């Protein structure tokens, strides 16, 4: 899911003109993910050198590393930090947000939190978009999934999560059980609302390019 989100976020960032920016909110601190983000041109929002452009990268793509402890070793609230970034994006406008794990951003399974709900429900009027990821959909407030514009389902392993997403797509079978470790289902909820299946990202991306009118690039 992270790799696919990077394809989306990185592809969005490259043609976007000022004042648009792409903000990636990283709650996992996985060195491989951070290296991949930098490979796409994302810069560390907390680095003075990165923010000044000394280290190169895209001018409109940054990532925010969410820490669980401060320099003194004291616990920090992941949810509070993410909500603050979401609030800042909502106030700024013209931001495409990526939350790499919804569960780390929400107040509870029933409450998305004010900042996230503002972005999700009213972000369009502020020119703020959202790509939200989760490995545990059963713990995510219902509207963040059921009311999304696009829904992508990758391989889930826990029965409770599988049962949950079958309320959205009754024909869901974990792609890995179909022999496709990188396969996924995609539905454009505000479009055809059908569920299409793709063996991997390349097949999906190639089909999107074919579907675009002549002379236009894919997303």
């Amino acid at each position: 899911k992270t790799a696919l989100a990077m394809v989306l976020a990185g592809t969005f960032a490259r043609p976007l003109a000022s004042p648009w920016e792409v903000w990636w909110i990283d709650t996992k601190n996985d060195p491989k993910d951070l290296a991949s983000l930098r490979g796409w041109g994302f810069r560390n929002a907390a680095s003075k050198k990165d923010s000044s452009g000394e280290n190169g990268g895209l001018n409109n793509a940054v990532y925010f590393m969410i820490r669980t402890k401060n320099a003194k070793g004291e616990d920090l609230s992941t949810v509070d930090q993410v909500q603050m970034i979401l609030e800042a994006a909502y106030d700024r406008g013209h931001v495409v947000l990526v939350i790499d794990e919804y569960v780390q951003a929400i107040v509870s399974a029933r409450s998305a939190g004010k900042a996230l709900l503002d972005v999700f429900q009213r972000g369009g009027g502020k020119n703020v978009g959202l790509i939200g990821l989760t490995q545990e959909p059963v713990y995510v407030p219902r509207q963040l999934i059921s009311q999304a514009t696009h829904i992508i389902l990758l391989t889930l392993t826990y029965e409770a999560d599988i049962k949950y997403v079958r309320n959205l797509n009754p024909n869901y079978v974990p792609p890995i059980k179909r022999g496709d470790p990188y396969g996924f289902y995609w539905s454009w909820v505000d479009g055809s609302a059908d569920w299409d299946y793709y063996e991997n990202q390349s097949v999906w991306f190639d089909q999107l390019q074919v579907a675009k009118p002549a002379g236009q690039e894919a997303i």
Side-chain angles (χ1 to χ4, degrees), residues 44-194:
N44 185 349
S47 166
K48 291 183 178 180
K49 286 187 176 181
D50 261 12
S51 60
S52 68
E54 289 183 36
N55 290 334
L58 297 172
N59 291 326
N60 63 344
V62 296
Y63 60 86
F64 295 82
M65 296 175 62
I66 307 301
R67 304 292 189 181
T68 58
K69 294 184 181 296
N70 63 19
K72 297 180 180 179
E74 300 167 332
D75 290 338
L76 296 172
S77 168
T78 298
V79 173
D80 288 350
Q81 292 177 78
V82 174
Q83 293 277 332
M84 286 177 60
I85 295 169
L86 294 170
E87 184 178 358
Y90 185 76
D91 289 342
R92 180 190 187 279
H94 294 89
V95 178
V96 177
L97 287 157
V98 185
I99 303 176
D100 76 344
E101 179 48 70
Y102 260 152
V103 174
Q104 300 293 327
I106 60 176
V107 174
S108 71
R110 292 183 176 272
S111 174
K114 183 182 183 304
L116 177 51
L117 205 56
D118 281 345
V119 167
F120 186 79
Q121 293 186 335
R122 291 173 282 278
K126 300 275 290 186
N127 289 313
V128 178
L130 175 66
I131 299 172
L133 319 177
T134 184
Q135 292 179 329
E136 302 173 296
V138 73
Y139 293 122
V140 175
R142 178 178 173 274
Q143 73 267 34
L144 294 181
I145 298 177
S146 63
Q147 295 179 29
T149 302
H150 294 265
I151 301 176
I152 292 175
L153 302 175
L154 293 92
T155 291
L156 294 166
T157 55
Y158 288 98
E159 193 58 38
D161 291 319
I162 293 172
K163 182 179 179 180
Y164 179 88
V165 300
R166 281 180 177 158
N167 291 322
L168 303 169
N169 177 8
N171 297 317
Y172 175 81
V173 175
I176 198 166
K177 291 188 175 181
R178 300 179 56 154
D180 301 324
Y182 304 108
F184 59 92
Y185 301 81
W186 173 42
S187 176
W188 181 16
V189 180
D190 290 351
S192 67
D194 294 329

